[in-house]
Amino acid sequence: MQKPFGAPINEIVNILVVEDERKMAQALQDGLEADGYTVRVAYTGEEGFYLIQAQAFDLAILDVMLPGHDGFEILATLRRRGVRTPVLLLTSRDAVEDRVRGLDLGADDYLVKPFAFPELLARIRMLLRRGQPVSSARLKLADLEMDLAQRLVVRAGQKLDLTAREFDLLEYFFSNNGRVVSREMLARDVWKETARQTPLDNVIDAQMVRLRRKVDGQSEHRLLHTVRGVGFVLREGNET
Ligand code: CA
């Protein structure tokens, strides 16, 4: 399972920085690492977009002004796909419409350049504290909702009748925040199989068919997707 946000000190907190200006990116990396964070830098929006879907980051710092797909576009696409990693936007202008647009698109906070580094660190701490642990009570993607406390799953207002295993599977997909989950991960984390056995792939596939029938069977918008050769993903939209 993914570790909760706002994890205690000594736990690794992974931060992704998406910033095309090398000096700025380096300054961010140095400053954050000095404060104990583990930092990965992406210099283009495309690379950042790829990394944030492929890896478990606790937070992403996303510069709005990027060549190609800018920070707004990247943020919008991530949120559309159900990726919930907290995002702090860096804007160069203190334009109200930029801030409003960023927050509307699903940013968790923003900071106007130039900023004082201690302020950035304070914002980061706040976002990490605010982030909900994945095991918290309610999870939601489009019209699919999970209440972990009551072990209740609802799609478009209709209660779904899931087995305990199906419930655990769905929770696992939610905890992966729109990232692709491999059969190996499912075997290890949901079935708790440490020794990999080929027959389990068939069990997992059969289970996925049943889960998908229940989750997506009555809806024209599929949320559980197969990613050929890789695994499965819970997200909105058809493309992978
Ligand atoms: Ca920039």
Side-chain angles (χ1 to χ4, degrees):
M1 282 286 177
Q2 191 183 344
K3 76 184 151 57
F5 295 122
I9 314 166
N10 298 332
E11 277 214 36
I12 294 170
V13 177
N14 287 298
I15 297 185
L16 174 67
V17 171
V18 188
E19 166 65 273
D20 59 307
E21 293 148 68
R22 300 262 161 177
K23 273 173 79 176
M24 182 68 184
Q26 190 65 53
L28 284 169
Q29 178 165 23
D30 292 347
L32 293 172
E33 284 178 353
D35 210 55
Y37 296 107
T38 301
V39 180
R40 183 85 191 258
V41 175
Y43 297 102
T44 66
E46 287 72 16
E47 188 190 354
F49 182 73
Y50 168 78
L51 286 174
I52 206 171
Q53 294 193 101
Q55 286 182 29
F57 289 101
D58 299 285
L59 179 87
I61 298 174
L62 185 56
D63 186 36
V64 168
M65 300 291 284
L66 294 166
H69 296 291
D70 69 16
F72 290 130
E73 289 177 62
I74 292 162
L75 175 64
T77 311
L78 287 171
R79 293 299 189 241
R80 220 169 31 237
R81 294 186 176 188
V83 177
R84 290 171 204 292
T85 308
V87 169
L88 174 75
L89 282 183
L90 299 180
T91 69
S92 337
R93 294 163 294 163
D94 188 12
V96 174
E97 57 268 31
D98 271 12
R99 280 182 269 157
V100 171
R101 188 174 169 206
L103 296 172
D104 277 352
L105 290 174
D108 298 272
D109 204 354
Y110 66 91
L111 207 50
V112 179
K113 289 181 183 175
F115 51 83
F117 208 80
E119 182 173 9
L120 175 67
L121 293 177
R123 299 288 181 99
I124 289 173
R125 283 194 296 274
M126 191 194 70
L127 285 175
L128 292 172
R129 270 200 307 274
R130 193 168 78 189
Q132 290 292 307
V134 287
S135 58
S136 79
R138 279 169 178 276
L139 303 168
K140 191 173 189 309
L141 177 67
D143 56 358
L144 176 65
E145 291 174 75
M146 267 191 113
D147 185 323
L148 299 182
Q150 298 192 52
R151 290 190 74 82
L152 193 71
V153 181
V154 171
R155 177 94 201 250
Q158 297 291 313
K159 183 176 172 292
L160 304 183
D161 190 15
L162 300 191
T163 65
R165 174 79 78 195
E166 288 162 352
F167 188 94
D168 292 346
L169 255 178
L170 191 59
E171 184 186 354
Y172 187 70
F173 279 104
F174 264 108
S175 77
N176 276 280
N177 275 336
R179 286 185 294 272
V180 177
V181 167
S182 67
R183 290 179 179 82
E184 201 156 32
M185 290 164 71
L186 292 175
R188 184 190 64 213
D189 297 334
V190 180
W191 271 264
K192 313 292 182 197
E193 282 286 337
T194 44
R196 189 86 204 293
Q197 290 167 344
T198 316
L200 198 51
D201 276 4
N202 299 329
V203 173
I204 290 171
D205 287 351
Q207 188 72 76
M208 284 303 301
V209 168
R210 283 197 294 275
L211 179 62
R212 179 179 283 146
R213 198 179 297 142
K214 291 182 182 179
V215 170
D216 286 335
Q218 303 301 316
S219 178
E220 47 188 288
H221 300 291
R222 280 171 60 166
L223 296 176
L224 270 171
H225 308 273
T226 299
V227 182
R228 197 167 300 172
V230 187
F232 311 94
V233 65
L234 178 73
R235 66 163 64 131
E236 286 184 88
N238 290 313
E239 339 90 291
T240 51

